[in-house]
Each structure stands twice: as structure tokens, then as C-alpha cells.
Amino acid sequence: MAAEGGEGVMGEVAVLGVGMHPWGKWGRNFVEYGVAAARAALTDAGLDWRDIGSVVGADTVRGGYPGYVAGATFAKALGWQAARATSVYAACASGAQAVDAARAQILSGLADVVLVVGADAAPKGFFRPAGGDRADDPDWLRFRVLGATNPVYFGLYARRRMAVHGDTPDDFAQVKVKNAAMGALNPNARYRKRVTAEEVAASAVVADPLRLLDICATSDGGAALVLSSLEFARRHGHADPVRILAVSTVTPRYPNTVLDLPDIATDSAVAVDPPAETFRVSIARAAYEEAGVGPEDLSLAEVYDLSTALELQWYEDLGLCGEGEGAKLLRDGATALGGRIPVNASGGLASFGEAVPAQAIAQVCELAWQLRGEAGDRQVAGARVGISVNQGLFGHGSAVIAVR
């Protein structure tokens, strides 16, 4: 379908439909999860697959060859109908990159309505690089040279917070307690059981000081969005849709002086002063600037809680509190349901686990449900502005700001 123009506010696109396949370990092909999510999103939008002008697929590199060309893979599974197809890979930022690609097509006039899909059938245990020797690949090197799995980095991040800010393992455990309570209310979550701090403390140590319940799992799942121009939305009965105001996909700024996955060293700042902000801070700032909002305007946030300690870091990186104040914000109840700024009302990765190409899309699904007032028992009262944020391996930023 060719674009018909008529945008409202320049840069905005409408979220007409959202859909998910529940997270879990289902043992099926990732395409099934993506198709189920896509059909749910189309139904939510009140559209037929044949109405879609373009499909953007967030790739998975673990699902066999079709995973590298997810746009066309999902288009074929839904039934060839001549839609444009785009495939995007940016590790954990793949979903946000897919949203950004879809938005660009809509705003440029290439398509009026775009389906965005991400799905994964993740391996058991932690992620590891593909086979073969690749001495120029930092992901391969950190496994082969250091034996550093993802949880090793999560543990290092946690240790840094303990050393710099005085955080404690119980602070981290309270993040899991909060997210498990919200995940228990989410029918799409994999883990729907409340936990106590004592249960976190009793779970096995994975990467000291983090324990099994401090770290997210690997999961199967899928998520999809139907995005359109505002004019298309109005013509199809969506007078007041959720709108995406900003998508941030920035990269770090040299020198990058905070260790990050998958690097095994930081850049030297001997000759060049470090930037005024870290990479994660810059991801959020770019989104705020594009949307014309600030952290004080947010109703809720969905953040990338690979570990409990990392969620506390996001509080500060998003500007929800000052540096070193994340644990206090949590313990004050500000980030729980009913608090000033609920974080991970969906339950977060703590409740879902990682289905890599789907998770940034799933975050936007949660924002949409919350902004529509359709989140059920986990509804954030009066939600008007939401941000989702994560980052992808190798320096991919990922943040989306949505409003209603």
C-alpha cells in the first residue's frame, strides 16, 4: 500500500495494534511465536494482513537460516502479498531498530502502515557466540580469552555499584521482589510467582554477588506492533491512538570509560577527556530531546533488567533520581505500582527472560497497554507518557518514548 501522507505532528507515528506470544520455553520454531504475535497485533488494530504495506522483522541469529531474514520469513508465514520486507539485527536493540525502520518508512511516505515483528527460540542457559574461530570478534574473544559469560558482566556491574554507591545484595534482591510482584499480574510473563528477598538470598550464586534470582533467564516468545501514519489511523477509526514520539538508537561516544558487554577493556582517556555522560545516559537523553519531554514527565518506564543491579543503574541513567540514589528510590516505593514512577510494571526481564529480537518490541507493547488503560491489575493510574530503554551488544542504543 503506497503512503498517502497527511502526517499530524512531524515525527509522530501511531501505534494501532500490539500483540504478544506468551514467554516461556515452548520448544517450537521462533516463526510460530512471531506469527501468533503478528496476528494478535493485526486483530488489535482492526486490520487484515493484506492491508499491511511493509513488514519489518527483528532478526534472531539462533533460529536457523530464516532467522537472518526475519522480515521476509514472517511475510511468507503470514502469506505472500507483495509487502515490502526489511530485516534488522542489533542484538538486544533489534526491536527498537525495527521500530525505527518502520517509523522511517512511514514518515518518508514509503508505507502508510507497517507490521513490526520480533520472536526468538532462545537456547537453554546463557547465550554464547556462534561456532568458529573469530579473533576479531569481541564477543568471541571475551568467551575464549576470559571465559566471561553474560552473568560475569552483570556481576561486575553489581560490584561496581556496591563499591561506588554502597548498594547491598539486599537492595538488588528488592528489585526482584518488586518485579516478580508485577510479573505475577501479567498473563504473558513466563514467571508469575511472587518471591521474597529471603528466597533470592537462598538461590544459588551465579556471579558473585548476584544469585540465580537476580539474573534474567533465556526464553522463547514473540511480540508485534502495527504502526501507521496519523492520517491512516484517523481514517481507520483510531481518533486518539498511542503515538511514538521518539526512538533513540545512538552509539557510545569515545572514549568509552565504563566497561560494557562484550568489551574486555575500556578506552583510554589519557589523551582525550571522557564524555560528560555514559553511554546509557546518552541513550535516554537522545530520546528525551527528540520527544521534547524529560524524566519529570514520565508516567512509567520499562527498562532492560538483565540483572537486578542493572535496573537500579537505569533509574539513574534515566534521570529518575540522582547518581547513587537508585536503591533509595526503590526502597521508597517510587518504582513500584502506585509509586511516583513505576518501573517494569510488565514484570521486566525478571519475569519474562530474554527473547532477544522480541524484547524491545514487547516493552513498547507494555507502554501501549498502559497508555490505553488496558493493563488490568498492573495498570499505572493515569499513564500518559512512557519510556522503554535497553541496549544491544556492540554499542546499539535503544529507547522509545510513547504518549497518549
Side-chain angles (χ1 to χ4, degrees):
M1 176 178 293
E4 299 174 19
E7 285 306 319
V9 178
M10 184 58 187
E12 296 185 15
V13 297
V15 181
L16 297 193
V18 295
M20 291 180 66
H21 183 289
W23 260 233
K25 280 289 188 181
W26 308 114
R28 300 195 296 276
N29 189 282
F30 77 96
V31 180
E32 289 189 38
Y33 312 140
V35 167
R39 287 175 174 157
L42 288 165
T43 298
D44 189 43
L47 296 175
D48 185 87
W49 159 233
R50 288 166 292 187
D51 298 322
I52 298 297
S54 177
V55 57
V56 181
D59 294 355
T60 172
V61 298
R62 287 175 303 280
Y65 180 72
Y68 290 96
V69 286
T73 298
F74 291 130
K76 179 180 180 181
L78 289 162
W80 293 127
Q81 49 91 328
R84 288 177 174 271
T86 304
S87 297
V88 175
Y89 180 72
C92 292
S94 296
Q97 293 267 8
V99 169
D100 202 32
R103 181 180 68 152
Q105 291 179 6
I106 292 165
L107 296 179
S108 68
L110 289 175
D112 269 336
V113 58
V114 181
L115 175 67
V116 178
V117 192
D120 200 5
K124 183 178 181 179
F126 50 74
F127 295 116
R128 57 191 180 277
D133 292 343
R134 297 182 309 282
D136 58 349
D137 177 357
D139 198 35
W140 183 89
L141 281 172
R142 54 108 171 187
F143 275 90
R144 297 303 191 271
V145 175
L146 297 182
T149 63
N150 288 11
V152 169
Y153 286 82
F154 308 159
L156 290 173
Y157 302 155
R159 279 286 170 198
R160 184 178 188 276
R161 288 201 60 85
M162 292 172 73
V164 175
H165 302 308
D167 288 3
T168 69
D170 189 61
D171 290 326
F172 305 148
Q174 293 300 331
V175 176
K176 174 67 174 184
V177 172
K178 172 187 71 72
N179 287 347
M182 292 195 276
L185 305 174
N186 192 335
N188 287 309
R190 176 178 177 182
Y191 301 107
R192 301 191 60 197
K193 178 179 178 294
R194 292 173 179 265
V195 301
T196 65
E198 291 74 21
E199 288 172 319
V200 177
S203 63
V205 173
V206 175
D208 188 68
L210 299 179
R211 297 179 175 272
L212 186 64
L213 294 183
D214 282 302
I215 293 172
C216 73
T218 59
S219 292
D220 298 359
L225 304 166
V226 176
L227 306 180
S228 81
S229 67
L230 298 185
E231 175 61 24
F232 182 96
R234 284 191 289 267
R235 286 190 287 102
H236 288 77
H238 299 267
D240 183 29
V242 171
R243 292 164 288 131
I244 291 176
L245 296 191
V247 184
S248 168
T249 58
V250 297
T251 55
R253 189 180 299 275
Y254 180 84
N256 194 3
T257 58
V258 176
L259 187 69
D260 223 336
L261 268 168
D263 298 320
I264 56 179
T266 57
D267 298 330
S268 172
V270 171
V272 180
D273 289 337
E277 60 190 10
T278 65
F279 174 41
R280 281 192 282 266
V281 171
S282 75
I283 296 171
R285 179 186 52 76
Y288 290 143
E289 289 182 355
E290 184 180 333
V293 303
E296 68 280 0
D297 300 307
L298 296 176
S299 306
L300 73 155
E302 286 289 307
V303 310
Y304 184 53
D305 59 316
L306 291 167
S307 77
T308 52
L310 190 59
E311 175 167 325
L312 295 181
Q313 186 63 46
W314 279 118
Y315 295 174
E316 298 165 25
D317 295 338
L318 286 175
L320 307 182
C321 61
E323 186 177 355
E325 296 176 357
K328 182 179 186 302
L329 191 74
L330 171 77
R331 288 189 175 275
D332 287 346
T335 60
L337 274 180
R340 173 173 66 83
I341 174 66
V343 176
N344 283 341
S346 66
L349 294 180
S351 300
F352 277 75
E354 286 196 272
V356 170
Q359 55 209 35
I361 299 171
Q363 288 180 320
V364 180
C365 289
E366 180 67 18
L367 295 185
W369 282 316
Q370 291 283 354
L371 295 171
R372 291 175 178 179
E374 297 175 355
D377 292 339
R378 66 184 190 282
Q379 179 66 48
V380 175
R384 305 297 296 174
V385 182
I387 188 171
S388 64
V389 63
N390 64 49
Q391 66 184 107
L393 209 65
F394 314 116
H396 292 109
S398 166
V400 177
I401 292 178
V403 301
R404 192 176 190 191

